[in-house]
């Protein structure tokens, strides 16, 4: 009976006890799930990081070192852990490189937050302090940075090769880094120098050869062969190129219907009409002096028939068919010509001009190269070669990262040391700043500073060095005022990293810290998960 009376609600004058246990549990579960994701990619950080082999459900195998790719392919179910996947995606969009770094920093911050929460600090206090600390961190980084001119090609190549050093194709960085720099610089528009559209750099992958055979093509490359039907030309000098979006084949009826032909003479008449129709089109094309046709893929009917190919070959016109619709914009921009949607609009001024269009044998297939384009638009093509598909795909991802690094430098022209130097310097300066702050805030900022040490720690750990000794020595060097001292992974000791040419764009570091902090603050603010059926 006594138990029943105890369960009676108390009088409304006193506060009733609210169970906060569930909220703490949910917060802990979120943090643990997100840290598990961060730990999964931690081993692939830095030049000595390991690669991950990803096996997808449909049996496809991917070998990669790129944090964004690894997390993209992972099937993460926990909602808070999904936020880390989105975090690496947003870093990929903002800076292009540092996708692993941003997740590792977020994981370390969460670990520190868990300690602070256990000590009874309120999540909102932690969140505000993190925000303050990240703003301060960006200021510290900006003060450390070294300004850079775009004419300084050497520095651009250094930062691109630093980005490539942690990839599978690192031994080819001497070839790929200058290639990335040249391709970005060739698409920079002098009127809008800070805007670089990476869609203006087309990457064509072709199996065969090694990564050494990768080249930058000033012009266009089509990963298909020219049409050989009826012995058409496969090489054309002083080419006049037309990009057409209509079909050179007999017209079809608009609706599904069949025409019954009962008589041979009618049959002949139909064939004759077809021939005349195609011949009429080809005469109009030939009249403008056009000698290379790029024909867009068609879904309604065949873009070209055997008959039209035969007549085109007789007219000595080179044909490249099945051009993808998505490529049309890039092609017209490169050739400085206009796509032609109808035979009636076929005029000489819509054609593009090039010195040479030829078919080249590469590996087991053939490609068509267009070089010496007159008034070429600001685009460029990179032809990637490799011994197997995995290497080619990884080379493409690595090259994309290198291109993004150069793009960051074009938009924000500051360099910063790599090798864990900026993180340790941040940790030192924020630690000193936390002593000035009062109350809980100083405590939280100190935790933020400690969390940043995870980057040099992980770099040392992945390189097989003693992480504790290395990080302690690194702190000591920075305390003596050597701002650019960092971990030299190749020598296994601490050196001035700027002299070793290990540099990265400022934008990569600042966006990594701001994005990671933002993500951690979001996770901290969540205190319940509600499933809606």
């Amino acid at each position: 009976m006594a138990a029943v009376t105890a369960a009676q609600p108390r009088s409304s004058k006193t506060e009733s006890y609210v169970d906060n246990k569930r909220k703490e549990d949910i917060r802990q579960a979120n943090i643990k799930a997100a840290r598990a994701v961060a730990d999964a990619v931690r081993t692939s950080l830095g030049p000595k990081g390991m690669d991950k082999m990803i096996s997808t459900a449909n049996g496809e195998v991917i070998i990669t070192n790129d944090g964004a790719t690894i997390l993209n392919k992972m099937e993460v179910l926990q909602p808070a852990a999904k936020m880390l996947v989105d975090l690496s995606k947003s870093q990929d969009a903002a800076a292009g490189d540092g996708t692993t770094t941003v997740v590792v920093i977020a994981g370390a911050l969460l670990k520190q937050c868990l300690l602070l929460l256990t000590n009874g600090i309120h999540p909102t206090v932690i969140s505000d302090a993190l925000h303050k600390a990240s703003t301060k961190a960006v200021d510290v980084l900006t003060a450390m940075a070294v300004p850079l001119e775009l004419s300084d090609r050497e520095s651009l190549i250094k930062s691109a090769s630093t980005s490539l050093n942690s990839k599978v194709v690192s031994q080819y960085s001497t070839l790929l880094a200058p290639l990335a720099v040249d391709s970005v610089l060739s698409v920079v528009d002098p009127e809008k120098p800070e805007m670089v559209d990476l869609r203006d750099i087309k990457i064509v992958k072709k199996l065969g050869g090694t990564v050494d055979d990768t080249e930058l093509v000033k012009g266009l490359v089509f990963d298909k062969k020219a049409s050989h039907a009826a012995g058409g030309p496969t090489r054309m000098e002083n080419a006049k190129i037309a990009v057409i979006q209509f079909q050179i084949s007999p017209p079809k009826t608009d609706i599904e219907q069949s025409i019954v032909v009962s008589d041979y003479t009618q049959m002949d008449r139909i064939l004759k009409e077809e021939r005349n129709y195609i011949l009429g089109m080809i005469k109009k094309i030939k009249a403008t002096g056009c000698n290379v046709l790029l024909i867009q893929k068609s879904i309604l009917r065949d873009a070209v028939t055997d008959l039209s190919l035969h007549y085109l070959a007789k007219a000595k016109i080179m044909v490249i068919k099945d051009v993808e619709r998505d490529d049309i914009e890039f092609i017209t921009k490169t050739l400085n010509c206009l796509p032609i949607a109808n035979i009636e609009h076929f005029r000489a001024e819509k054609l593009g001009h090039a010195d040479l269009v030829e078919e080249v044998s590469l590996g087991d297939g053939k490609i068509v190269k267009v070089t010496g384009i007159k008034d070429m638009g600001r685009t460029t093509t990179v032809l990637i070669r490799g011994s197997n598909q995995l290497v080619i795909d990884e080379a493409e991802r690595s090259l994309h990262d290198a291109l993004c690094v150069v793009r960051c430098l074009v938009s924000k022209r500051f360099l910063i040391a790599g090798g864990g130097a900026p993180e340790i310097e941040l940790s030192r300066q924020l630690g000193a700043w936390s002593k000035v702050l009062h109350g809980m805030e100083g405590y939280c900022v100190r935790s933020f500073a400690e969390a940043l040490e995870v980057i040099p720690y992980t770099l040392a750990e992945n390189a097989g060095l003693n992480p504790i000794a290395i990080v302690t020595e690194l702190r000591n060097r920075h305390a003596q005022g050597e701002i650019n001292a960092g971990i030299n992974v190749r020598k296994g000791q601490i050196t001035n990293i700027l002299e070793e040419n290990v540099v990265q764009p400022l934008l990569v570091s600042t966006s990594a810290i701001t994005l990671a902090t933002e993500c951690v603050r979001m996770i901290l603010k969540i205190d319940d998960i509600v499933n809606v059926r």
Side-chain angles (χ1 to χ4, degrees), residues 99-121:
T99 44
T100 318
T101 314
V102 73
V103 177
V104 172
I105 290 178
L109 283 174
L110 285 171
K111 185 180 175 185
Q112 293 290 347
C113 290
L114 201 54
L115 286 174
L116 295 174
L117 287 170
T118 328
N119 291 345
I121 301 178

Side-chain angles (χ1 to χ4, degrees), residues 12 70 78 238 416:
S12 57
I70 298 169
Q78 218 273 357
N238 294 333
I416 194 170

Side-chain angles (χ1 to χ4, degrees), residues 459-472:
L459 279 177
E461 196 177 42
N462 288 349
L465 309 170
N466 179 349
I468 296 171
I470 289 278
V471 173
T472 315

Side-chain angles (χ1 to χ4, degrees), residues 127-141:
S127 170
D128 293 344
L130 286 183
H131 181 62
K132 255 188 164 175
S134 80
T135 322
K136 172 82 174 169
V138 172
D139 296 343
V140 172
L141 282 175

Side-chain angles (χ1 to χ4, degrees), residues 248-251 267-283 305 307-308 310-311:
I248 309 182
S249 59
M267 188 86 172
D268 283 349
R269 242 179 75 198
I270 290 174
L271 289 172
K272 200 170 180 186
E273 279 299 318
E274 268 187 22
R275 274 210 297 274
N276 287 345
Y277 177 78
I278 289 172
L279 267 173
M281 285 175 109
I282 289 170
K283 276 178 183 157
T305 60
L307 188 63
S308 54
H310 169 76
Y311 284 131

Side-chain angles (χ1 to χ4, degrees), residues 69 154 171 182 193 266 296 368 488:
T69 314
E154 281 303 303
Q171 67 265 36
D182 293 342
Q266 283 177 325
Q296 184 183 315
V368 176
N488 186 338

Side-chain angles (χ1 to χ4, degrees), residues 33-48:
R35 276 184 58 199
V37 171
D39 287 342
V41 290
R42 215 184 104 178
T43 50
S44 61
L45 180 80
K48 298 274 181 178

